[in-house]
Amino acid sequence: MRISMTYFAQIRRAAGGDTETLELPAGATVADALSAAAAAGHSADFRALTLAPDGAPHANLIVLVNDQPAARGRPAPLREGDRVSLFSPVAGG
Amino acid sequence: MKPPPPPLTAEEQATYEWQMWIDGFGEEGQRRLKGASALVSRCGGLGGPVAYHLASAGIGRIVLAHAGNLKPSDLNRQILMTHDWLGKPRVECAARRLRELNPRLEVEAVPENVTPENAARLVGEVDIVFDCAPLFEERYAMNRECVRQGKPMIEAAMYGTEGAVTTILPGRSPCLACLYPETPAQWKRQFPVLGAISALAAAVAAAEGVKQIVGLGEPLAGVLLYYDALRMSFHRIPFARRADCPVCGTPAAGRKGQ
């Protein structure tokens, strides 16, 4: 299935762009999508910003799926055509 | 018990007439602003325009906290600064500009950034806090003190072409540590910034603060307003209080962290 990813804040810079499309197996979760994106050649910062050491989404990561907040912890599997938006913390002034 | 808000002078009536026409604002709202005090940390690209809007709206007292001297690289966004002030304390320039705009305003210029050591004192001096700091350590220190003292905190932040604002109401909303439970290790002191982008977050933050003081509308409590000026997209992102939040959660569920 095809999933579109939109990145904000430092994640965008770590990904080298604001959007990309991922091809994932059926039943993949947000964590699977992040792992796939991290393995696709983004900088080490991308993994550090998006994933915890145990492979779960980072505790600070804000995840929207189709503009709706995804439950932290165990998000439901993604579906064909889902739009995932990822926000990392910002503190600039 | 806070004393009743002070009456307005004839000059203040004339100055603030147009905003008192806003439904629900009125003379009572203006008196509340006059009787209110705010901490703004710091007075750069975010805190500068926040303080400017508070001053123009007629708040009674502002405590500005910002260490250091003005550098050329501040001038693309720190709109309270002036070129002739390069090399001199930022906070003095900001205080001067605010007094020029509103000579009735009481300004306390504190040449320090907020730290865990001074946060209790600075937060204790005011009714409301505007968090415009560039480091999470400062933000978490203010968050902890605002929750402890029961003071509202308007949380404003930006990065590049993006910005975010939320309103933290202790006891009624999640706090900053609910939103970001771990100190962001990847955050860097130097970040991309355009003045108009930080000013946008500042205007939203100032509006949230005035609403809170006057008692208008609905606060951005439990909602992160996030915008991306590249596409001019605006997102309202709800977030929840964490039962195990070490700052505002149940004490028995507390854990090490923010």
Side-chain angles (χ1 to χ4, degrees), chain B residues 167-186:
Chain B
T167 293
I168 294 165
L169 302 175
R172 293 169 52 196
S173 79
C175 76
L176 182 61
C178 296
L179 182 62
Y180 303 134
E182 297 181 10
T183 303
Q186 306 297 315

Side-chain angles (χ1 to χ4, degrees), chain B residues 132-242:
Chain B
C132 305
L135 296 174
F136 278 99
E137 290 75 9
E138 294 173 60
R139 290 179 180 268
Y140 286 132
M142 277 181 276
N143 181 60
R144 277 192 298 270
E145 270 311 314
C146 284
V147 169
R148 195 179 70 80
Q149 298 187 29
K151 303 273 178 80
M153 181 168 97
I154 314 299
E155 166 74 17
M158 59 77 55
Y159 181 84
T161 58
E162 302 161 51
V165 180
T166 189
T167 293
I168 294 165
L169 302 175
R172 293 169 52 196
S173 79
C175 76
L176 182 61
C178 296
L179 182 62
Y180 303 134
E182 297 181 10
T183 303
Q186 306 297 315
W187 183 254
K188 297 178 175 64
R189 171 65 187 86
Q190 291 180 311
F191 46 84
V193 50
L194 177 69
I197 304 298
S198 49
L200 178 53
V204 173
E208 276 295 289
V210 169
K211 279 166 53 186
Q212 187 63 30
I213 294 166
V214 171
L216 279 179
E218 295 178 11
L220 268 175
V223 177
L224 184 69
L225 180 71
Y226 197 102
Y227 63 84
D228 178 5
L230 272 191
R231 300 180 180 196
M232 273 310 166
S233 63
F234 286 72
H235 312 261
R236 285 178 62 95
I237 304 173
F239 65 102
R241 204 166 172 182
R242 291 175 183 249

Side-chain angles (χ1 to χ4, degrees), chain B residues 49-119:
Chain B
V50 163
Y52 207 60
H53 281 298
L54 295 176
S56 68
I59 198 168
R61 182 167 178 267
I62 295 178
V63 178
L64 290 174
H66 197 150
N69 296 333
L70 184 62
K71 299 181 296 190
S73 61
D74 297 333
L75 291 171
N76 79 317
R77 63 195 183 282
Q78 299 190 9
I79 60 168
L80 290 186
M81 307 301 161
T82 52
H83 190 270
D84 64 321
W85 209 259
L86 283 167
K88 297 187 231 178
R90 294 185 185 95
V91 76
E92 291 179 15
C93 192
R96 172 174 59 83
R97 293 286 306 281
L98 294 177
R99 291 188 190 104
E100 286 172 358
L101 174 66
N102 181 355
R104 299 170 295 277
L105 174 69
E106 185 185 337
V107 186
E108 182 184 343
V110 180
E112 306 167 24
N113 297 326
V114 173
T115 64
E117 289 69 39
N118 66 16

Side-chain angles (χ1 to χ4, degrees), chain A residues 9 12 18 45 60 72 91 93, chain B residues 45-46 133 162 182 228 231 242:
Chain A
R12 179 178 296 179
D18 62 345
D45 275 354
N60 286 343
R72 281 174 158 162
Chain B
L46 272 177
E162 302 161 51
E182 297 181 10
D228 178 5
R231 300 180 180 196
R242 291 175 183 249

